[in-house]
Amino acid sequence: FISTVCNFMSHEKCLKNVKIPCSCIAPSLVRVPVAHCFGPPRHYKRKFCTVCRKSLESPAFRCEVCELHVHTDCILFACSDCRQCHQDGHLDHDTYHHHWREGNLSSSARCEFCKKTCGSSEVLSGMRCEWCGVLAHAACYVIVTPECTFGRLRNMILPPSCVQLFSRNFSKLHCFRILENLQTDADEDDDVDGSTQGSTKDIQISTDSSKQTLKIFDGNDAVKRNQFRLISVPRIAKNEEVVEAALRAYYINDDQQEYELQTFTQQVLLSDDVVNRNDAAEDSNLGSVFRESVPEAWIIRAKPKDEEVIRIYPGWLKVGMAYVSLRVNKDSTVQTVIKEVLPLLGRHTECLQNFKLVEVLMGSKQVQRMALDNQELILNRLKDIRKTSIRQMNQTRFYIVENSKSIVQVNLFVGGLPPQLSPEEYTNILKEELAIKTNVVSVSHVYQAQGAVVLQISCFSEAERIYMLVKDTVVNDKPLNAVVIPAVMASKIPRNCCPLLVFVNPKSGGLKGRDLLYSFRKLLNPHQVFELTNGGPLPGFHTFSKVPSFRVLVCGGDGTVGWVLGALEEIRHKLVCSEPSVAILPLGTGNDLGRVLRWGAGYSGEDPYSILVSVDEADDVLMDRWTILLDAEEPAEGAEDGIVEPEPPKIVQMNNYCGLGIDAELSLDFHHAREEEPGKFNSRFHNKGVYVKVGLQKISHTRNLHKDIKLQVDQHEVELPSIEGLIFINIPSWGSGADLWGSESDNRFEKPRIDDGLLEVVGVTGVVHMGQVQGGFRSGIRIAQGSYFRVTLLKPIPVQVDGEPWIQAPGQIIISAAGPKVHMLKKSKQKQKKTGS
């Protein structure tokens, strides 16, 4: 058997065990309406549409927060049943139920209860909870306890009940900080969802000359947008058959006797003059409708009713029932409905004025709420909705909620401002550039060193205006950026919960960073996953500033790790958890720090779930960080007669190593090559190839570095051998995993550790020596070990710190320990514990 509405297939003997709801009644089963967050349309292999259950052969939409996939022409019929990741003042609760999503599982997926295979790559089958990840057959999941405990990752997930975000005017992309440049024109408006793409798919069914293809509009809104569905019916079909086919096309399971068809021509369409099909035989010019090249077009309408039964949903979830049914007639107003509903909900003693009826349209992209006037006639309201769209009527609910003064508070992070200004100066800049209204906008937090502020806005429209205006605002030739950030209610976080703050650099590791962003948003709460190209690390640390205990996962190269550790050092004093442990998912080229901490040489497609389990089981270790003071004593090149003063001293932080000479020169050449053609540097293999190429070009190069610099270690002068490169190493990995110090024992020095408060100083004699070190044939020339270093440059020399190169003018370089040691997470050697939900 196959469903004529949603294409669900079943054996005859299995029909009695079918538990999957049809797409036509799915909206009525949504517990809490939450809109989806759709990314751009893409091709997805071996995935199926949640609405029509057919394979996704053409570009389709995928929710960035849950596992919903849907055709472009089916998106209007998708339920607003996304995961509820935060509290927004509507239907908030602390107990979370399993959030089941059907299908699109791997063919090896096994049911948690009967242990048999429940996934398939051929059809939409199997159920998965999108919070705890438990898998089950459709027949098995109904016996599962409804409460969800978030599964194996429960201690890493930021509980939705602890997150608050008021987001009425913001799209879901803004709420979850997903960059809008991912969007295509096809996703900007609903206009794309109804016509050409849908007609191409459906028109293929009408190749039989005995059938005709009809355009079906479901109301005035569809007519204005030119959004229609195509159906194929026999040319001698009765009116009831056409109505039934039209209802199926719009996933409506109502009695066909309650609907009728009206027709119009393209010319009449503009004048809204529609003709009832039942009376059209003699009065209408049917010739223009039945032209061969233009399909016949109809509007399906609901017949007027004198009375009907409606469902009223309670706006609170502690009354023991999902909804109450109420019969209304042409005299029923909103006020009379409230009066009749309250006793049914056990609130008969309450005053009517304390309640209101709210109409909720559960669209897949947006959930719209509108409070109804007490004197409005309910049947008239239902008639207006059906006239607009019978599809929307199928997605509309009425909630009775208590009147309460809602407190709006939108937190907007604004970066890119000039650093080191006072709060008053930042407020004045925002007044001048953004014309902020100080009666509804206040500066709640100031990050002077980073040139950023957090605005607290008590008006939705003002928040949206500022957010959109910031995108086009430039201050001191630097563009501003804005990020909507949630409020984390730290007091609600369970005592044993240590949520994971995830930073992902999507520019690292080719396209792997983008895929990891989606995977981590799906496995965790998307509010704890931050994209570093959208405001940097600061919005994430600010969001977690009140969390008593958390960990950090950085997905990127060594440069990205240094960026996050630097931001952590600057904001540490404003965090309740001032020393969070940091894990690494290496996406860069060298990934030396990731190698030392056992996270591997680079990400190569491992299961993101397994990575999170490894982070949860990782060991806490300490690592030294170093401050490098660069003080140029001579004016920069191009200065005339010394009139221009020397460059001011600058301070940089070092985690891995600092190189002078040939090592930095190769990094500089690589850096210049990447700046010229950045699009080519999207794979680890290509990057290493460019390193080899620039190295070969320097193979005959000679530089007597030992004559151009002087080295002082712990107040003692050190005589340098004949070398071309001098490298200070903090970790036992350099140049993509090479052991520059070597493993031989030496009585002159202590065995290096990443937390011993000492740096090792090593020399290399040239490119050939560096190649031998990276091949494992030699080690570097051990020169010194200490905790305080002074290097005197007698001429301009290339310098690189953690892969960031530049030419340093003559002067002093001082390297010393930087404040407290940083807590890192080292992957455990033990095999992962058996996971369970």
Side-chain angles (χ1 to χ4, degrees):
F1 288 86
I2 182 169
S3 168
T4 56
V5 177
C6 68
N7 303 302
F8 179 85
M9 293 183 291
S10 173
H11 295 106
E12 182 178 5
K13 64 180 181 180
C14 300
L15 280 176
K16 60 183 179 181
N17 295 321
V18 172
K19 305 292 184 182
I20 299 298
C22 180
S23 299
C24 63
I25 65 168
S28 65
L29 302 178
V30 174
R31 188 166 179 265
V32 178
V34 179
H36 291 284
C37 180
F38 291 110
R42 291 179 183 170
H43 287 277
Y44 298 103
K45 295 181 180 178
R46 294 185 293 277
K47 299 292 184 182
F48 296 87
C49 175
T50 306
V51 175
C52 71
R53 308 181 71 88
K54 294 181 180 179
S55 176
L56 301 181
E57 297 174 352
S58 57
F61 289 107
R62 177 186 72 180
C63 178
E64 295 291 320
V65 175
C66 69
E67 193 62 36
L68 181 123
H69 292 74
V70 63
H71 287 114
T72 54
D73 56 311
C74 292
I75 193 170
L76 292 175
F77 305 97
C79 295
S80 54
D81 62 345
C82 192
R83 288 192 297 162
Q84 187 180 17
C85 300
H86 58 262
Q87 309 229 10
D88 62 356
H90 301 285
L91 307 178
D92 296 334
H93 54 96
D94 295 333
T95 301
Y96 271 74
H97 289 191
H98 288 291
H99 191 274
W100 297 105
R101 178 73 62 205
E102 184 189 8
N104 292 320
L105 307 177
S106 69
S107 54
S108 60
R110 290 191 174 275
C111 177
E112 192 76 20
F113 305 96
C114 70
K115 307 303 178 184
K116 296 180 181 179
T117 301
C118 61
S120 172
S121 58
E122 304 297 328
V123 293
L124 202 66
S125 69
M127 307 294 288
R128 177 183 179 273
C129 173
E130 293 181 319
W131 280 116
C132 69
V134 63
L135 303 172
H137 288 102
C140 296
Y141 91 100
V142 293
I143 65 175
V144 181
T145 306
E147 285 77 19
C148 180
T149 59
F150 299 118
R152 171 66 181 82
L153 304 178
R154 67 178 68 87
N155 293 334
M156 309 177 74
I157 293 177
L158 183 64
S161 58
C162 306
V163 186
Q164 192 171 53
L165 179 64
F166 298 96
S167 55
R168 188 186 68 180
N169 286 8
F170 290 103
S171 75
K172 296 297 287 290
L173 290 169
H174 297 161
C175 295
F176 295 119
R177 304 167 305 281
I178 299 174
L179 291 177
E180 289 179 277
N181 56 17
L182 288 177
Q183 294 297 287
T184 61
D185 293 337
D187 194 28
E188 288 176 0
D189 194 276
D190 284 347
D191 291 352
V192 73
D193 300 329
S195 53
T196 56
Q197 295 177 357
S199 60
T200 303
K201 189 175 79 170
D202 290 343
I203 202 169
Q204 296 173 355
I205 64 176
S206 59
T207 56
D208 191 346
S209 61
S210 65
K211 294 186 177 183
Q212 62 178 335
T213 301
L214 306 179
K215 282 183 181 180
I216 303 294
F217 296 89
D218 76 322
N220 295 350
D221 185 63
V223 170
K224 291 176 183 177
R225 294 174 178 266
N226 195 31
Q227 289 180 343
F228 54 84
R229 304 283 286 178
L230 291 175
I231 63 172
S232 178
V233 295
R235 292 187 178 276
I236 57 173
K238 296 180 181 179
N239 182 59
E240 293 79 8
E241 294 175 356
V242 180
V243 171
E244 184 180 0
L247 289 175
R248 283 202 304 265
Y250 279 95
Y251 297 93
I252 293 172
N253 197 35
D254 294 347
D255 185 356
Q256 61 180 355
Q257 299 298 327
E258 298 177 359
Y259 294 87
E260 61 188 5
L261 288 173
Q262 295 177 334
T263 186
F264 60 89
T265 63
Q266 294 297 322
Q267 290 77 16
V268 175
L269 176 62
L270 300 175
S271 65
D272 280 345
D273 182 14
V274 290
V275 183
N276 188 304
R277 174 174 176 163
N278 299 329
D279 303 323
E282 297 180 0
D283 300 333
S284 299
N285 179 13
L286 296 181
S288 62
V289 178
F290 285 96
R291 284 181 301 171
E292 289 291 331
S293 59
V294 182
E296 188 179 359
W298 303 90
I299 305 178
I300 186 166
R301 298 285 194 190
K303 295 178 180 178
K305 300 179 182 179
D306 291 331
E307 65 175 22
E308 62 179 294
V309 176
I310 63 172
R311 292 177 176 179
I312 305 295
Y313 292 77
W316 57 93
L317 297 180
K318 299 177 182 178
V319 295
M321 60 184 73
Y323 60 86
V324 295
S325 298
L326 195 69
R327 185 173 295 276
V328 294
N329 54 41
K330 59 183 180 180
D331 297 322
S332 299
T333 64
V334 169
Q335 190 168 14
T336 58
V337 167
I338 295 175
K339 186 176 181 180
E340 293 180 42
V341 165
L342 286 178
L344 299 176
L345 297 175
R347 307 291 287 262
H348 51 276
T349 60
E350 302 277 356
C351 176
L352 296 182
Q353 305 305 320
N354 295 336
F355 296 87
K356 60 185 176 182
L357 199 64
V358 177
E359 176 189 312
V360 178
L361 173 58
M362 306 185 300
S364 61
K365 293 182 178 180
Q366 188 178 13
V367 175
Q368 301 177 32
R369 297 176 173 86
M370 182 178 71
L372 300 179
D373 184 84
N374 280 346
Q375 303 307 317
E376 186 168 4
L377 295 172
I378 287 294
L379 283 184
N380 285 353
R381 183 61 198 153
L382 295 176
K383 181 180 177 182
D384 290 343
I385 297 173
R386 291 189 175 108
K387 190 174 181 180
T388 301
S389 167
I390 61 171
R391 170 187 59 80
Q392 290 185 14
M393 185 66 239
N394 201 37
Q395 297 174 339
T396 298
R397 283 183 181 177
F398 295 97
Y399 281 86
I400 183 169
V401 298
E402 291 184 87
N403 282 320
S404 58
K405 188 177 181 181
S406 59
I407 301 174
V408 176
Q409 183 178 305
V410 179
N411 296 315
L412 204 59
F413 175 94
V414 179
L417 295 164
Q420 305 299 346
L421 299 182
S422 66
E424 292 75 19
E425 290 173 310
Y426 283 124
T427 302
N428 291 334
I429 289 177
L430 296 173
K431 281 182 180 178
E432 294 173 11
E433 301 292 340
L434 305 177
I436 62 171
K437 302 173 183 176
T438 52
N439 60 321
V440 292
V441 181
S442 61
V443 177
S444 62
H445 295 81
V446 175
Y447 296 99
Q448 294 173 312
Q450 297 82 10
V453 298
V454 177
L455 302 181
Q456 209 170 73
I457 309 170
S458 58
C459 172
F460 278 124
S461 57
E462 177 69 358
E464 186 181 34
R465 185 189 70 82
I466 293 174
Y467 182 86
M468 301 305 291
L469 192 58
V470 163
K471 296 179 184 178
D472 303 317
T473 303
V474 176
V475 176
N476 293 353
D477 298 325
K478 188 176 179 182
L480 300 185
N481 60 79
V483 180
V484 180
I485 52 178
V488 177
M489 297 173 282
S491 59
K492 285 191 172 187
I493 298 178
R495 186 171 299 176
N496 60 343
C497 180
C498 182
L500 185 69
L501 173 59
V502 181
F503 293 110
V504 181
N505 186 350
K507 294 183 178 180
S508 298
L511 299 176
K512 293 188 178 76
R514 183 69 59 197
D515 294 336
L516 284 170
L517 267 172
Y518 169 70
S519 296
F520 288 138
R521 286 192 186 114
K522 187 178 68 172
L523 290 168
L524 303 170
N525 189 327
H527 287 302
Q528 62 191 104
V529 181
F530 287 79
E531 189 171 348
L532 287 170
T533 52
N534 190 12
L538 196 54
F541 283 126
H542 173 80
T543 301
F544 273 59
S545 59
K546 304 300 182 186
V547 177
S549 176
F550 69 93
R551 287 177 160 188
V552 179
L553 173 61
V554 183
C555 307
D558 287 341
T560 302
V561 176
W563 182 15
V564 173
L565 291 178
L568 173 61
E569 188 65 35
E570 291 177 345
I571 198 179
R572 187 189 300 276
H573 62 285
K574 294 189 176 183
L575 301 178
V576 173
C577 176
S578 60
E579 295 182 344
S581 300
V582 181
I584 301 170
L585 180 54
L587 298 181
T589 303
N591 302 315
D592 288 294
L593 187 53
R595 295 169 192 264
V596 170
L597 297 174
R598 295 202 198 106
W599 295 107
Y603 177 69
S604 55
E606 293 86 356
D607 178 24
Y609 176 84
S610 300
I611 292 170
L612 293 177
V613 172
S614 296
V615 172
D616 191 39
E617 297 175 353
D619 302 319
D620 201 320
V621 297
L622 293 174
M623 185 182 78
D624 298 322
R625 295 188 76 233
W626 300 83
T627 297
I628 301 178
L629 173 65
L630 302 148
D631 188 4
E633 295 178 348
E634 294 185 8
E637 288 187 34
E640 298 181 3
D641 301 325
I643 298 175
V644 179
E645 293 186 0
E647 295 179 3
K650 71 174 182 177
I651 297 175
V652 296
Q653 302 292 329
M654 184 190 90
N655 302 306
N656 300 354
Y657 38 72
C658 168
L660 292 78
I662 187 64
D663 168 53
E665 198 168 336
L666 296 183
S667 292
L668 193 61
D669 289 348
F670 174 84
H671 185 71
H672 289 157
R674 184 165 57 181
E675 283 187 334
E676 290 176 4
E677 296 179 293
K680 292 185 176 181
F681 290 75
N682 56 9
S683 77
R684 202 174 296 123
F685 182 77
H686 178 270
N687 293 355
K688 290 184 177 180
V690 175
Y691 262 118
V692 172
K693 181 180 177 181
V694 298
L696 292 174
Q697 293 171 348
K698 304 284 184 182
I699 201 164
S700 61
H701 175 85
T702 57
R703 173 194 287 275
N704 296 318
L705 184 69
H706 58 286
K707 296 180 180 179
D708 299 332
I709 65 174
K710 294 180 180 180
L711 173 64
Q712 193 181 85
V713 180
D714 294 335
Q715 311 297 330
H716 298 290
E717 294 286 341
V718 175
E719 185 176 349
L720 295 174
S722 178
I723 55 174
E724 285 192 37
L726 185 69
I727 304 166
F728 299 82
I729 52 178
N730 184 45
I731 61 174
S733 179
W734 167 85
S736 301
D739 186 0
L740 191 59
W741 182 259
S743 56
E744 299 84 5
S745 59
D746 191 333
N747 295 331
R748 297 177 300 163
F749 307 110
E750 297 181 22
K751 185 178 180 180
R753 299 198 323 271
I754 63 173
D755 64 342
D756 57 5
L758 300 174
L759 278 182
E760 287 69 50
V761 186
V762 184
V764 291
T765 58
V767 173
V768 174
H769 188 183
M770 291 170 62
Q772 291 170 333
V773 170
Q774 291 186 324
F777 303 112
R778 289 180 63 184
S779 57
I781 302 171
R782 296 179 181 179
I783 295 175
Q785 190 179 49
S787 59
Y788 182 85
F789 307 86
R790 180 186 293 269
V791 183
T792 303
L793 306 187
L794 304 179
K795 58 187 294 187
I797 287 177
V799 173
Q800 68 100 352
V801 175
D802 292 343
E804 296 298 322
W806 68 90
I807 299 292
Q808 180 62 27
Q812 302 287 325
I813 297 179
I814 297 174
I815 305 176
S816 58
K821 301 178 191 294
V822 64
H823 290 255
M824 305 298 292
L825 288 172
K826 190 172 186 177
K827 189 174 182 179
S828 175
K829 282 185 177 180
Q830 297 177 357
K831 196 174 182 180
Q832 286 182 5
K833 300 169 187 173
K834 187 175 181 181
T835 60
S837 59

Short mmCIF file of all heavy atoms in Angstrom, two decimals, residues 779-802:
data_model
loop_
_atom_site.label_atom_id
_atom_site.label_comp_id
_atom_site.label_asym_id
_atom_site.label_seq_id
_atom_site.Cartn_x
_atom_site.Cartn_y
_atom_site.Cartn_z
N SER A 779 68.58 16.07 14.17
CA SER A 779 67.90 17.04 15.04
C SER A 779 68.64 18.36 14.91
O SER A 779 69.68 18.45 14.24
CB SER A 779 67.90 16.55 16.49
OG SER A 779 69.21 16.30 16.94
N GLY A 780 68.10 19.39 15.55
CA GLY A 780 68.74 20.70 15.49
C GLY A 780 69.96 20.78 16.39
O GLY A 780 70.30 19.84 17.12
N ILE A 781 70.62 21.91 16.34
CA ILE A 781 71.79 22.15 17.18
C ILE A 781 71.31 22.75 18.50
O ILE A 781 70.79 23.88 18.53
CB ILE A 781 72.78 23.12 16.48
CG1 ILE A 781 73.21 22.54 15.13
CG2 ILE A 781 73.98 23.38 17.37
CD1 ILE A 781 74.01 23.53 14.28
N ARG A 782 71.46 21.99 19.57
CA ARG A 782 71.01 22.50 20.87
C ARG A 782 71.92 23.63 21.33
O ARG A 782 73.14 23.49 21.39
CB ARG A 782 71.04 21.37 21.91
CG ARG A 782 70.05 20.24 21.60
CD ARG A 782 70.13 19.14 22.62
NE ARG A 782 69.20 18.04 22.31
CZ ARG A 782 69.09 16.94 23.03
NH1 ARG A 782 69.85 16.76 24.10
NH2 ARG A 782 68.23 16.00 22.67
N ILE A 783 71.31 24.74 21.68
CA ILE A 783 72.09 25.92 22.05
C ILE A 783 71.89 26.30 23.50
O ILE A 783 72.86 26.55 24.23
CB ILE A 783 71.72 27.11 21.13
CG1 ILE A 783 72.15 26.80 19.69
CG2 ILE A 783 72.37 28.41 21.61
CD1 ILE A 783 71.72 27.85 18.69
N ALA A 784 70.64 26.36 23.96
CA ALA A 784 70.40 26.80 25.34
C ALA A 784 69.02 26.36 25.80
O ALA A 784 68.19 25.88 25.02
CB ALA A 784 70.54 28.32 25.44
N GLN A 785 68.78 26.55 27.10
CA GLN A 785 67.48 26.30 27.72
C GLN A 785 67.33 27.31 28.85
O GLN A 785 68.25 27.49 29.65
CB GLN A 785 67.42 24.87 28.27
CG GLN A 785 66.04 24.42 28.72
CD GLN A 785 66.06 22.98 29.23
OE1 GLN A 785 66.92 22.64 30.05
NE2 GLN A 785 65.15 22.16 28.75
N GLY A 786 66.19 28.00 28.91
CA GLY A 786 66.05 29.02 29.94
C GLY A 786 64.64 29.56 30.01
O GLY A 786 63.73 29.10 29.32
N SER A 787 64.46 30.60 30.85
CA SER A 787 63.13 31.18 31.06
C SER A 787 63.07 32.66 30.70
O SER A 787 61.98 33.24 30.72
CB SER A 787 62.72 31.00 32.53
OG SER A 787 63.66 31.62 33.38
N TYR A 788 64.24 33.27 30.41
CA TYR A 788 64.23 34.69 30.05
C TYR A 788 65.29 34.90 28.96
O TYR A 788 66.46 34.51 29.12
CB TYR A 788 64.54 35.56 31.26
CG TYR A 788 64.52 37.05 30.98
CD1 TYR A 788 63.32 37.76 31.02
CD2 TYR A 788 65.68 37.75 30.66
CE1 TYR A 788 63.28 39.12 30.77
CE2 TYR A 788 65.66 39.11 30.41
CZ TYR A 788 64.45 39.79 30.44
OH TYR A 788 64.42 41.13 30.17
N PHE A 789 64.88 35.50 27.86
CA PHE A 789 65.78 35.63 26.71
C PHE A 789 65.77 37.06 26.18
O PHE A 789 64.71 37.70 26.14
CB PHE A 789 65.34 34.68 25.57
CG PHE A 789 65.18 33.25 26.00
CD1 PHE A 789 63.98 32.79 26.55
CD2 PHE A 789 66.22 32.35 25.86
CE1 PHE A 789 63.82 31.49 26.94
CE2 PHE A 789 66.07 31.04 26.25
CZ PHE A 789 64.88 30.60 26.79
N ARG A 790 66.96 37.51 25.78
CA ARG A 790 67.09 38.82 25.12
C ARG A 790 67.89 38.60 23.84
O ARG A 790 69.02 38.13 23.87
CB ARG A 790 67.80 39.83 26.01
CG ARG A 790 67.96 41.21 25.36
CD ARG A 790 68.80 42.14 26.24
NE ARG A 790 68.11 42.45 27.48
CZ ARG A 790 67.32 43.51 27.63
NH1 ARG A 790 67.12 44.33 26.61
NH2 ARG A 790 66.73 43.74 28.79
N VAL A 791 67.26 38.94 22.72
CA VAL A 791 67.92 38.81 21.42
C VAL A 791 68.13 40.21 20.86
O VAL A 791 67.17 41.01 20.79
CB VAL A 791 67.08 37.97 20.44
CG1 VAL A 791 67.81 37.80 19.12
CG2 VAL A 791 66.75 36.61 21.05
N THR A 792 69.37 40.50 20.47
CA THR A 792 69.68 41.80 19.87
C THR A 792 69.84 41.61 18.36
O THR A 792 70.70 40.84 17.91
CB THR A 792 70.97 42.39 20.46
OG1 THR A 792 70.83 42.49 21.89
CG2 THR A 792 71.25 43.77 19.89
N LEU A 793 69.02 42.31 17.59
CA LEU A 793 69.10 42.25 16.12
C LEU A 793 69.96 43.41 15.64
O LEU A 793 69.68 44.57 15.94
CB LEU A 793 67.71 42.34 15.50
CG LEU A 793 66.64 41.33 15.97
CD1 LEU A 793 65.38 41.47 15.11
CD2 LEU A 793 67.15 39.92 15.89
N LEU A 794 71.00 43.08 14.88
CA LEU A 794 71.89 44.12 14.35
C LEU A 794 71.45 44.60 12.97
O LEU A 794 71.98 45.61 12.48
CB LEU A 794 73.32 43.58 14.29
CG LEU A 794 73.87 43.05 15.62
CD1 LEU A 794 75.29 42.51 15.43
CD2 LEU A 794 73.85 44.14 16.70
N LYS A 795 70.54 43.90 12.33
CA LYS A 795 70.02 44.29 11.01
C LYS A 795 68.61 43.71 10.86
O LYS A 795 68.21 42.84 11.65
CB LYS A 795 70.94 43.77 9.89
CG LYS A 795 71.12 42.27 9.89
CD LYS A 795 72.17 41.83 8.86
CE LYS A 795 71.72 42.11 7.45
NZ LYS A 795 72.65 41.54 6.45
N PRO A 796 67.81 44.16 9.88
CA PRO A 796 66.46 43.60 9.71
C PRO A 796 66.51 42.10 9.43
O PRO A 796 67.30 41.65 8.59
CB PRO A 796 65.90 44.38 8.51
CG PRO A 796 66.69 45.64 8.46
CD PRO A 796 68.07 45.28 8.95
N ILE A 797 65.69 41.36 10.13
CA ILE A 797 65.72 39.90 10.04
C ILE A 797 64.28 39.38 10.02
O ILE A 797 63.42 39.88 10.77
CB ILE A 797 66.50 39.30 11.23
CG1 ILE A 797 67.99 39.55 11.06
CG2 ILE A 797 66.24 37.80 11.38
CD1 ILE A 797 68.83 39.07 12.22
N PRO A 798 63.99 38.35 9.19
CA PRO A 798 62.65 37.74 9.23
C PRO A 798 62.41 37.05 10.57
O PRO A 798 63.29 36.37 11.10
CB PRO A 798 62.70 36.71 8.09
CG PRO A 798 63.84 37.13 7.21
CD PRO A 798 64.83 37.79 8.11
N VAL A 799 61.19 37.26 11.10
CA VAL A 799 60.80 36.66 12.38
C VAL A 799 59.41 36.03 12.18
O VAL A 799 58.57 36.58 11.47
CB VAL A 799 60.76 37.71 13.50
CG1 VAL A 799 60.19 37.11 14.78
CG2 VAL A 799 62.14 38.29 13.76
N GLN A 800 59.18 34.87 12.80
CA GLN A 800 57.85 34.29 12.79
C GLN A 800 57.51 33.76 14.17
O GLN A 800 58.36 33.20 14.85
CB GLN A 800 57.72 33.18 11.73
CG GLN A 800 58.53 31.93 11.99
CD GLN A 800 57.73 30.79 12.59
OE1 GLN A 800 56.57 30.97 12.94
NE2 GLN A 800 58.35 29.63 12.71
N VAL A 801 56.26 33.99 14.58
CA VAL A 801 55.75 33.47 15.85
C VAL A 801 54.51 32.65 15.56
O VAL A 801 53.52 33.19 15.04
CB VAL A 801 55.44 34.62 16.83
CG1 VAL A 801 54.81 34.06 18.10
CG2 VAL A 801 56.70 35.41 17.17
N ASP A 802 54.58 31.37 15.84
CA ASP A 802 53.45 30.45 15.60
C ASP A 802 52.91 30.55 14.17
O ASP A 802 51.70 30.55 13.94
CB ASP A 802 52.34 30.69 16.61
CG ASP A 802 52.74 30.28 18.02
OD1 ASP A 802 53.72 29.53 18.15
OD2 ASP A 802 52.07 30.72 18.97
#
